[in-house]
Amino acid sequence: MSELEKLRAAAEFIRSHSPVSPRVGLVLGSGLGGLADEFSGAVRIPYRHIPHFPVSSVVGHPGNLVLGWAEGVAVAAMQGRVHPYEGYSFAEVVFPVRVLRLLGASILVVTNAAGGINESFRPGQLMLIRDHLNLMGDNPLRGQNLEELGPRFPDMTYPYDPALQELARQAADELGLEMVSGVYAGLSGPSYETPAEIRMLRKLGADAVGMSTVPETIGAHHMGMKVLGISCITNMAAGILARKLDHAEVMAIAERVQVQFVSLLRKVLGRLA
Ligand code: HPA
């Protein structure tokens, strides 16, 4: 079966379970899955039921696709995602996003947890992703190009849609939420960075670092979707504070910020309605 046939089979399966034709796809990162629990008319499909869908193995990333309505917008949310560090190829990582596009989504909202490299940042802040550095050592578009999806050499001048960034900024202002903006560096992980790597990333122009989002953004952009990316700064990156990084602490901060993050996403969806 070709990749395109697999994508179409997955989309067909999802269509047979929900009448919702999503306009917005959401990738809900660590601790944000709760947003999808509040959709109206929701249909929840475990990833393991969807043909060819990759299934996440990470604690805190339950794997469900949830279709429904939020703030008047037809949405399809990924509760959990897979990462290259789990051993998935980049093509597998972008598979769900490609399916969202085939289902009709023209906007992708990607969220993640990230370490703050910019020393003016504080854990618990939200960062609007302005641009990214693909330092993951691969590209989801490597290999034969699927012409039906997009061009061989897609332009990446506006990977994160400027109008959506403005809309998110206004939504944050309305909520009185402080939101910083910056460049997200995607690394493959799963080990966190060394202090020397963080100093290098800062010199390269990165404001935050994480292990996701870059493949999804490239895959979505390839297919002509507009992407909005938002990071939750869960910790200061290695070497900035005189202590070790702890995954449990990262999750705890993500959990603490969840309420604000969800209210921002709701506001953004409301403005898209
Ligand atoms: N580094 C990489 N990924 C992360 C971090 C970090 O400091 N925090 C949350 N995800």
Side-chain angles (χ1 to χ4, degrees), residues 152-175:
R152 169 76 293 184
F153 300 108
D155 171 67
M156 289 293 283
T157 307
Y158 302 106
Y160 300 91
D161 187 69
L164 287 177
Q165 287 183 56
E166 181 53 31
L167 186 146
R169 182 159 294 295
Q170 285 173 10
D173 284 350
E174 257 178 51
L175 291 167

Side-chain angles (χ1 to χ4, degrees), residues 113-115 192-193 209-211 234-235 237 245 250:
Y192 287 121
E193 303 70 35
V209 59
M211 306 173 193
T234 50
N235 58 284
L245 267 58
V250 166

Side-chain angles (χ1 to χ4, degrees), residues 55-112:
V55 176
S56 172
S57 62
V58 187
V59 181
H61 295 266
N64 298 299
L65 185 68
V66 188
L67 293 104
W69 294 83
E71 308 297 317
V73 184
V75 289
M78 292 171 58
Q79 275 185 323
R81 56 146 71 87
V82 300
H83 306 78
Y85 64 72
E86 294 174 75
Y88 288 102
S89 72
F90 276 55
E92 288 169 315
V93 170
V94 298
F95 187 91
V97 164
R98 287 176 159 169
V99 171
L100 295 182
R101 177 73 184 121
L102 293 186
L103 289 171
S106 56
I107 292 172
L108 184 73
V109 180
V110 223
T111 63
N112 61 51

Side-chain angles (χ1 to χ4, degrees), residues 17-73:
H17 282 73
S18 168
V20 172
S21 172
R23 187 153 77 84
V24 179
L26 287 158
V27 183
L28 302 175
S30 318
L32 283 176
L35 172 64
D37 294 331
E38 302 163 14
F39 290 173
S40 59
V43 171
R44 169 177 290 98
I45 313 174
Y47 291 160
R48 64 176 189 282
H49 292 175
I50 307 173
H52 317 294
F53 241 60
V55 176
S56 172
S57 62
V58 187
V59 181
H61 295 266
N64 298 299
L65 185 68
V66 188
L67 293 104
W69 294 83
E71 308 297 317
V73 184

